[in-house]
Amino acid sequence: MSALLITNIGTLVGIHPQDTLMLRGQQMQQLPTLEDAWILCEDGKISDFGKMEQLPEQLPNHISTHDAKKGFVFPSWCDSHTHIVFAASREEEFVMKIDGKSYEDIAAAGGGILNSAKKMQSESEDALYQSAAQRLSDMINQGTGAVEIKSGYGLSTDSELKMLRVIQRLKNNFNIPIKASFLAAHAYPPEYKNDHDGYIKLIIDEMLPKIAAEGLADYMDAFCEQGFFSVDDTDRLLQAGAKYGLKPKIHANQLAVSGGVQIGVKNHAVSVDHLEATDHAVIESLQSSNTIATLLPSCSFYLNIPFANARGLMNANIPVAVATDYNPGSTPSGNMNLVVSLACIKLRMRPEEAVNAATLNGAAAMELSETTGSIAKGKTANLFITRPMSSLAFLPYSFGQSQIQTIVLNGKIS
Ligand code: NIG
Ligand code: FE
């Protein structure tokens, strides 16, 4: 039995009612807070919280106390879209981009995802684990307390399994919730360049049964985009995944409107991610579903591509989440604080909306919002404590800098 009492909290942020598991567009403006507060964590969970003037007199034995010194306490960031298992960085492409090449130019020249896939083939599982674990530790130190991780740089049965086993090891060794998505449909490998049907069959007939047998994936992903996987390919793949209980979380409309969002919604996707390009039909299809629109503003920033129409989505009452997309090609950063700043600056989300998108809705985009993503009794005590701040808006305002001083995971200062 362990207990931690955090006292003198300037503002306790994100106190949503216990049964609020996702916030749709307009609801995202509400971010309930408590000033001058305490919070009690017992056995890894939030057991109570309140105002300092009503600090309980009876406290559990063996309690440790931490003085927040007027800092803010937030629920940890929930990063619902990452690709942190990769063999090598790609800063040569970074320089190509500076010289004027587009993401598509680089991919067509054998760079991009295929470049990462080549490097993946020869990397050992141990080396992959070590580098991914380092990235994950860095993310946790920047306030992330739940994460989704994708495969997708394998593009062969052995390499996809290798990546998913690395994610499994991360799940076993880290004390935060981790979800795994199977993304073999990330690019057509060179040997299937002229045989797309052959690769889809390989995914459906060979990879999926093995992955399901080992229980290595929670979700089915696909990069539905012109030059990558068509709407029909994506539909087939999502239906095949569903047979093994894998719900879709897909990449759609990063480079152009593709019909990917609608095919995701049709297959009951938990989320459709990217959406740098949207039109009226996209908004209409999301409006009548529970699918979350996950936006990745640091990807737009890094690739110099348009930013998603967050305001249009929220005005249409669609639930919006934000995530990093941490990967070696389009977003080499796992910093959710920067994502929240970019959500405000570039997606024009208000600080309250951006924080909700990065916490409760991010948790919902991993089906984890019953246990994390807000301050509620019984939820996992994954939190961070900031320096004293003049207001909530100071956090995204001070972009590129961290206000975080202390990380609490499972009710323990880490
Ligand atoms: O989400 N768009 C597809 N996948 C990644 C990029 C992968 C890469 O370039 O390595 C993304 O941006
Ligand atoms: Fe991605």
Side-chain angles (χ1 to χ4, degrees):
M1 173 105 181
S2 73
L4 172 70
L5 176 70
I6 306 172
T7 57
N8 290 321
I9 299 170
T11 305
L12 181 60
V13 177
I15 310 170
H16 289 289
Q18 222 149 357
D19 57 355
T20 300
L21 300 180
M22 179 174 90
L23 301 161
R24 299 196 73 94
Q26 267 119 59
Q27 297 169 324
M28 293 174 66
Q29 293 166 16
Q30 304 304 325
L31 181 66
T33 57
L34 196 63
E35 312 274 301
D36 202 20
W38 54 270
I39 186 167
L40 179 63
C41 311
E42 288 178 273
D43 290 334
K45 304 231 163 22
I46 298 168
S47 59
D48 208 354
F49 52 85
K51 299 275 280 179
M52 279 307 284
E53 65 214 34
Q54 291 154 352
L55 195 62
E57 276 159 28
Q58 284 288 331
L59 286 166
N61 294 333
H62 310 298
I63 194 167
S64 51
T65 303
H66 179 86
D67 186 342
K69 297 190 177 135
K70 299 292 168 201
F72 281 44
V73 170
F74 285 75
S76 297
W77 304 129
C78 296
D79 189 350
S80 62
H81 182 135
T82 82
H83 311 243
I84 61 167
V85 180
F86 54 86
S89 59
R90 297 195 338 235
E91 62 269 28
E92 63 285 3
E93 295 176 12
F94 174 66
V95 178
M96 287 167 81
K97 279 195 268 283
I98 296 169
D99 292 340
K101 294 268 185 301
S102 72
Y103 185 69
E104 294 96 314
D105 294 338
I106 293 166
I113 296 164
L114 294 182
N115 181 353
S116 283
K118 206 185 296 159
K119 290 173 178 154
M120 174 65 63
Q121 309 287 338
S122 52
E123 190 80 337
S124 74
E125 200 176 303
D126 273 342
L128 278 174
Y129 174 79
Q130 294 306 337
S131 64
Q134 182 63 58
R135 287 175 203 117
L136 187 54
S137 299
D138 291 345
M139 293 162 75
I140 290 170
N141 288 333
Q142 290 170 322
T144 295
V147 71
E148 181 258 19
I149 310 172
K150 300 171 190 300
S151 71
Y153 292 124
L155 311 184
S156 70
T157 306
D158 285 350
S159 282
E160 282 294 311
L161 282 166
K162 180 166 69 177
M163 285 189 78
L164 288 166
R165 287 189 189 122
V166 168
I167 301 172
Q168 189 75 28
R169 243 168 106 181
L170 295 168
K171 284 188 185 186
N172 293 338
N173 294 348
F174 278 78
N175 59 351
I176 63 165
I178 298 176
K179 292 284 179 108
S181 298
F182 173 48
L183 176 58
H186 200 187
Y188 283 103
E191 58 277 28
Y192 288 97
K193 197 169 163 221
N194 299 315
D195 180 17
H196 286 185
D197 198 51
Y199 187 54
I200 305 255
K201 285 203 178 109
L202 181 75
I203 296 175
I204 294 176
D205 298 337
E206 191 176 301
M207 296 189 198
L208 262 174
K210 287 196 175 155
I211 284 157
E214 285 189 48
L216 290 175
D218 303 295
Y219 298 109
M220 186 75 184
D221 198 346
F223 187 20
C224 183
E225 197 78 42
Q226 208 180 354
F228 292 87
F229 290 79
S230 71
V231 166
D232 288 345
D233 296 341
T234 305
D235 197 19
R236 259 174 87 190
L237 288 160
L238 299 188
Q239 289 185 36
K243 294 206 179 105
Y244 295 95
L246 303 185
K247 290 192 199 164
K249 265 174 84 66
I250 65 166
H251 287 71
N253 291 10
Q254 178 179 4
L255 308 171
V257 171
S258 66
V261 169
Q262 289 88 329
I263 221 64
V265 168
K266 180 192 145 212
N267 286 283
H268 310 289
V270 175
S271 69
V272 287
D273 301 19
H274 274 287
L275 276 54
E276 283 83 352
T278 41
D279 61 11
H280 189 65
V282 163
I283 291 195
E284 237 176 35
S285 82
L286 284 168
Q287 247 174 341
S288 54
S289 77
N290 279 325
T291 300
I292 295 169
T294 297
L295 310 182
L296 310 166
S298 49
C299 174
S300 295
F301 170 76
Y302 181 81
L303 290 183
N304 256 322
I305 62 172
F307 285 82
N309 180 11
R311 183 58 55 203
L313 293 161
M314 289 187 297
N315 281 348
N317 219 26
I318 291 162
V320 172
V322 290
T324 62
D325 197 19
Y326 192 177
N327 75 75
S330 73
T331 328
S333 163
N335 186 346
M336 281 295 282
N337 302 289
L338 181 62
V339 166
V340 171
S341 287
L342 290 173
C344 294
I345 298 162
K346 292 296 194 177
L347 301 179
R348 307 194 75 89
M349 295 173 84
R350 304 196 77 248
E352 293 80 5
E353 293 169 329
V355 169
N356 279 324
T359 54
L360 190 58
N361 280 2
M366 298 183 272
E367 297 180 294
L368 287 172
S369 59
E370 284 185 9
T371 52
T372 196
S374 64
I375 303 296
K377 288 183 199 174
K379 279 198 170 181
T380 305
N382 285 3
L383 320 163
F384 62 80
I385 310 173
T386 72
R387 294 182 180 144
M389 300 192 296
S390 38
S391 72
L392 178 88
F394 188 82
L395 187 91
Y397 157 87
S398 59
F399 80 97
Q401 306 183 68
S402 177
Q403 300 305 326
I404 298 178
Q405 279 205 313
T406 307
I407 306 285
V408 175
L409 292 180
N410 303 300
K412 291 204 179 82
I413 291 178
S414 65

